[in-house]
Amino acid sequence: MLKNKNAVVTGATRGIGREIALTLAKNGANVAINYRTLNKEVENLIEEIKALDVKVFAFKCDVRNVEEVENFIKGTKDEFGSIDILVNNAGITKDGLILRMKEEDFNDVIDVNLKGTFNTTKITAPIMIKQRSGKIVNISSIVGIIGNAGQCNYAASKAGVIGFSKSMARELASRNINVNVIAPGYIETDMTKVLSDKVKEEVINTIPMKKIGSAKDVANLVVFLSSDLSNYVTGQVINVDGGMVMS
């Protein structure tokens, strides 16, 4: 489906991002990933992608750092020749009620989740504009739509990603560049695995499909939005949440 396409996936070393990178590769795309620390997780992912008979490019880059992002994107372009797909997945949480939240915890989440999305999009967009083609998929969250107690920083960052993406969709549509958003609900990751059975049961009771989603559910939608099957889809926010948020 994505044979000979070149993709950049931020925050790909674990969880949803890792599954996105692998699923794009399984569908034929060459994949560039960033990392902040070269560790066994990163090395294993590189080897798994290579085993799928596609190219992989890994680069040390903090999405908050404009110079590092510029070098990452330039390196990807030099390595692959083009960038057809950008998936902005890098994100962090630093939860806490607003009365106890430190200013740096608010700033850190905004800087990674929202400013990081701005940095990679701004630097990749000229490449796609010159090509007159491209697919940008930004990973938000249902928390950016409905909010969540103890996550005002995270909710603000993910709501910001939605507004940013809709503006980009309008700016880039005439250049044949699609920009869409995926808003995952409760997805089985390392973060959700630590929840107690009681908390999981309470969560599942709020989901019409009565189950927690998988990273593969998100990754499969990324593939669709990155492919020619979605050529007339732009500016959309698609929830992957088992029906938890219906609007």
Side-chain angles (χ1 to χ4, degrees):
M1 225 165 140
L2 300 174
K3 190 172 175 61
N4 300 321
K5 298 291 186 182
N6 303 312
V8 171
V9 183
T10 67
T13 56
R14 63 179 60 186
I16 291 172
R18 190 177 196 281
E19 189 63 41
I20 289 170
L22 287 169
T23 304
L24 289 172
K26 287 172 184 175
N27 280 272
N30 302 314
V31 180
I33 61 170
N34 71 306
Y35 61 87
R36 294 182 63 186
T37 304
L38 185 59
N39 53 31
K40 199 65 180 173
E41 278 183 325
V42 178
E43 291 171 350
N44 288 343
L45 177 60
I46 291 169
E47 291 307 312
E48 284 187 58
I49 294 173
K50 280 182 180 177
L52 295 168
D53 200 27
V54 297
K55 295 178 184 176
V56 59
F57 177 69
F59 193 88
K60 189 176 188 301
C61 167
D62 183 337
V63 295
R64 294 173 292 189
N65 187 305
V66 175
E67 186 177 348
E68 290 184 13
V69 173
E70 286 176 341
N71 291 333
F72 174 41
I73 298 302
K74 182 181 184 300
T76 302
K77 173 72 162 52
D78 291 344
E79 183 75 15
F80 293 163
S82 68
I83 298 176
D84 307 295
I85 301 158
L86 170 63
V87 182
N88 284 306
N89 170 75
I92 62 171
T93 58
K94 290 193 175 183
D95 298 347
L97 297 173
I98 194 166
L99 295 179
R100 298 192 189 98
M101 184 173 289
K102 297 175 184 176
E103 183 180 359
E104 55 263 37
D105 289 345
F106 186 89
N107 290 342
D108 285 347
V109 171
I110 295 293
D111 284 348
V112 174
N113 299 5
L114 182 55
K115 182 75 180 303
T117 298
F118 165 81
N119 287 340
T120 52
T121 304
K122 178 178 172 60
I123 294 164
T124 306
I127 296 169
M128 292 183 170
I129 288 170
K130 191 172 181 180
Q131 295 168 179
R132 295 195 68 81
S133 67
K135 306 278 189 175
I136 299 174
V137 183
N138 295 327
I139 307 301
S140 179
S141 167
I142 60 166
V143 172
I145 298 171
I146 63 173
N148 194 32
Q151 288 192 306
C152 67
N153 51 359
Y154 186 73
S157 71
K158 292 303 188 179
V161 166
I162 291 172
F164 173 81
S165 303
K166 286 179 177 288
S167 297
M168 288 302 93
R170 291 183 181 277
E171 286 187 28
L172 300 175
S174 64
R175 306 304 180 94
N176 198 35
I177 299 167
N178 305 63
V179 184
N180 291 290
V181 179
I182 297 175
Y186 284 92
I187 303 296
E188 190 74 46
T189 63
D190 290 342
M191 283 191 291
T192 57
K193 280 178 184 174
V194 301
L195 297 175
S196 68
D197 290 341
K198 183 175 184 298
V199 170
K200 282 187 180 180
E201 186 179 347
E202 289 172 356
V203 168
I204 288 170
N205 285 335
T206 69
I207 302 170
M209 293 188 78
K210 300 301 178 189
K211 62 181 180 179
I212 293 175
S214 70
K216 177 65 81 174
D217 294 322
V218 179
N220 286 339
L221 182 54
V222 171
V223 170
F224 169 74
L225 293 173
S226 300
S227 75
D228 290 343
L229 294 176
S230 64
N231 281 350
Y232 202 53
V233 179
T234 197
Q236 302 305 303
V237 181
I238 304 175
N239 299 344
V240 180
D241 65 352
M244 186 177 178
V245 178
M246 298 191 191
S247 57

